Amino acid sequence: MKTSVVPVDPAKIGRLSATSSTPDVLDELKLDLDTTTSDAQSLQTAARLLQQSDVPVAFPTETVYGLGADATRSSAVRGIYTAKQRPSDNPLIVHFASLQQIRQILRPSGITDSQDVDKDPIPDIYHPLIRRFWPGPLTILLPNPSESTLAPEVTAGLSTFGARLPRHPIALALIQFAGVPVAAPSANASTKPSPTAAEHVAYDLDGRIEMILDSGPCEVGVESTVVDGLSQPPLILRPGGISLEQIRACPGWENVSIGYKDTSEQGSKPRAPGMKYRHYSPRSPVILVEPETRPPLLEDLRTYLGDNGKIGLVRTSNWSLQPGSREWLVRRGQQSPSLSNDLRATEASGLGFAGMLKNLGKERSKLELVKQTAGGDYAIEVLDMHLGADAADVARGIFAALRRLDQEDVAVILVEGIGEDGDDLAAAVMNRLRKAAEVVK
Ligand code: TXA
Ligand code: MG
């Protein structure tokens, strides 16, 4: 199967307009497609594939790229599991383009009980969240009616389904044009980091799907927050694009509890790499260093490297790695004329390792750490990516950073964790990183 990556510019597909009962609520969506543009034609092609094919279509959302299929057709939904090689006991989120479309799923056989004519089948508990966060990176659990039109493969046998109204115009337009609810997990190969750019999807799924709609990098970078308002108290099942504090500020959600397991309680030591990883994981082992923890020394890293090798570094707020001993020196890039010159330069500037790293800027850069021993020079190549201190920037960049370092074949990826106190995306980032660094025994 040939996979095509097709650019679609949200500004060129035509006009999207909403009919709303209250401001900002997307009751109904209208799409006037501008059929003269190739962008709109690509959208049409993708919608047709969704309607007819059993091979899923990759499309952008504001969180991560999704791998979509018609949620009402079993054969299409099974195609997602095949393409991703994902175990089928994991329920999928269903994406909608309007509240009307969700209500149709909740009332599959029309209105039978006349008392309920005016009653919104979407449970009241969700109304404040919907008003504030939809369209956007939030998924809510809804009761799946017994005569539901959703394919059973979507819910993996549960009595509820996850519903999301994304805010990316291409996602909305695609769902609206296809006219079906779209089941979509992240468009990565199972166990790999989630895709936040079309290239990531192509890297993982080339030859396994026909079409990737490409609208550039994702705005949020981590998946939607999943909440369960049907339980008492309501629960957050997955941290994501909407923070705990934002949810807690909504009426009825003051007592929301954390319903997901995080692995932070395993302690703050870097986790041992070298085994099989479960989630969000590159091939290279990931060592997450929780904030407020002593950063590993270079001497520690040697144990992961064997005698020589490359390491990847993902820095965030304020890492200052200190060499384990003064015998180490830093060479930047490949052009260092000689070891002794470098040694002198480093000593003279008084910069040391931390200072050198600070000067390297945001982009990935390479530097070489060298130790002179009797048996010859010992070098570690460090591939450094600095994502910045802001949690939103870290969220946007983290999956791409893990993927890039993986492609460089580093022996280990060392990540500086971020603090989770603020009302931001830090909890979602740390949740993904803890999973990426998790060891399956
Ligand atoms: O941001 C996102 O949510 C992305 C983009 C593509 O929209 N989608 C995504 O989908 O992350 P997926 O299928 O990878 O996430 C599924 C997760 C499950 O692992 C589970 O945590 C939760 O959503 N979920 C879905 N349906 C559920 C249900 N009925 N009960 C409990 N959890 C459910
Ligand atoms: Mg996923």
Side-chain angles (χ1 to χ4, degrees):
M1 193 182 310
K2 198 181 155 341
T3 304
S4 41
V5 179
V6 185
V8 276
D9 180 348
K12 292 186 185 152
I13 54 170
R15 223 173 78 82
L16 278 173
S17 52
T19 317
S20 309
S21 51
T22 42
D24 305 325
V25 174
L26 224 173
D27 273 313
E28 254 182 291
L29 185 72
K30 271 223 189 81
L31 169 64
D32 295 315
L33 208 64
D34 175 0
T35 46
T36 62
T37 66
S38 61
D39 305 73
Q41 285 156 15
S42 303
L43 199 73
Q44 276 178 304
T45 308
R48 216 173 302 122
L49 286 174
L50 278 181
Q51 291 165 339
Q52 295 166 7
S53 172
D54 288 343
V55 177
V57 175
F59 64 98
T61 83
E62 72 278 18
T63 57
V64 302
Y65 275 72
L67 188 62
D70 178 350
T72 65
R73 284 193 299 122
S74 287
S75 57
V77 176
R78 282 198 295 268
I80 295 177
Y81 292 103
T82 311
K84 277 190 67 129
Q85 300 183 292
R86 162 166 165 148
S88 60
D89 54 357
N90 203 353
L92 300 172
I93 292 172
V94 188
H95 297 66
F96 297 88
S98 69
L99 295 182
Q100 267 325 329
Q101 205 183 17
I102 297 179
R103 293 185 185 115
Q104 275 164 24
I105 297 291
L106 296 174
R107 271 199 288 241
S109 46
I111 298 145
T112 45
D113 185 344
S114 58
Q115 272 185 315
D116 282 348
V117 173
D118 294 322
K119 177 102 181 90
D120 189 344
I122 300 173
D124 293 346
I125 178 85
Y126 291 121
H127 292 193
L129 296 191
I130 288 172
R131 239 172 274 130
R132 273 197 65 186
F133 305 122
W134 268 5
L138 175 76
T139 296
I140 64 175
L141 291 199
L142 292 169
N144 197 28
S146 48
E147 64 280 39
S148 175
T149 52
L150 294 177
E153 289 80 359
V154 169
T155 53
L158 298 170
S159 60
T160 56
F161 68 98
R164 165 154 138 75
L165 201 69
R167 71 165 172 249
H168 197 295
I170 296 301
L172 286 172
L174 177 67
I175 300 163
Q176 175 68 17
F177 200 77
V180 292
V182 173
S186 49
N188 52 294
S190 187
T191 78
K192 293 292 164 199
S194 299
T196 49
E199 302 88 84
H200 302 163
V201 183
Y203 186 85
D204 280 13
L205 301 182
D206 190 39
R208 303 184 143 264
I209 58 176
E210 281 174 54
M211 195 174 188
I212 303 168
L213 295 179
D214 178 2
S215 297
C218 297
E219 177 198 341
V220 179
V222 289
E223 295 88 339
S224 61
T225 303
V226 180
V227 297
D228 178 0
L230 306 175
S231 63
Q232 277 292 345
L235 297 173
I236 295 194
L237 298 182
R238 177 176 76 179
I242 304 288
S243 73
L244 170 67
E245 283 76 15
Q246 283 174 296
I247 288 169
R248 192 167 271 155
C250 292
W253 292 81
E254 296 85 354
N255 297 323
V256 63
S257 300
I258 305 275
Y260 59 90
K261 274 208 194 69
D262 219 305
T263 47
S264 55
E265 62 272 13
Q266 283 181 9
S268 54
K269 281 198 215 82
R271 281 169 190 78
M275 285 164 240
K276 192 166 161 265
Y277 297 91
R278 224 194 272 163
H279 269 304
Y280 307 110
S281 299
R283 281 190 314 265
S284 315
V286 175
I287 301 177
L288 171 64
V289 182
E290 301 272 346
E292 318 294 327
T293 310
R294 170 183 74 82
L297 303 174
L298 285 174
E299 294 296 342
D300 301 339
L301 297 183
R302 275 185 80 167
T303 59
Y304 301 125
L305 286 176
D307 268 350
N308 205 339
K310 288 197 226 182
I311 64 167
L313 212 57
V314 179
R315 293 181 302 119
T316 56
S317 329
N318 48 36
W319 238 8
S320 57
L321 270 186
Q322 301 296 344
S325 76
R326 301 208 117 254
E327 296 155 65
W328 289 94
L329 66 134
V330 180
R331 276 203 301 194
R332 205 200 287 232
Q334 311 287 18
Q335 293 112 324
S336 305
S338 84
L339 218 64
S340 49
N341 281 352
D342 273 3
L343 179 58
R344 262 185 253 122
T346 307
E347 301 263 286
S349 67
L351 270 176
F353 188 65
M356 292 295 277
L357 288 182
K358 285 243 163 64
N359 287 350
L360 287 169
K362 281 208 171 195
E363 276 303 295
R364 188 199 62 199
S365 32
K366 292 191 189 194
L367 54 134
E368 214 183 355
L369 303 175
V370 182
K371 183 175 187 171
Q372 289 173 301
T373 67
D377 295 344
Y378 175 95
I380 302 177
E381 195 179 336
V382 178
L383 300 164
D384 171 54
M385 297 198 68
H386 186 198
L387 301 179
D390 185 40
D393 290 336
V394 179
R396 252 190 301 274
I398 187 64
F399 287 134
L402 294 178
R403 283 174 172 272
R404 264 174 86 173
L405 292 172
D406 208 26
Q407 282 171 34
E408 298 275 359
D409 232 4
V410 295
V412 65
I413 300 174
L414 210 66
V415 186
E416 179 189 2
I418 54 175
E420 291 169 73
D421 310 332
D423 179 18
D424 57 23
L425 297 180
V429 168
M430 290 301 283
N431 169 266
R432 306 306 188 271
L433 284 171
R434 289 185 187 118
K435 286 184 194 253
E438 199 168 70
V439 179
V440 177
K441 296 214 174 81

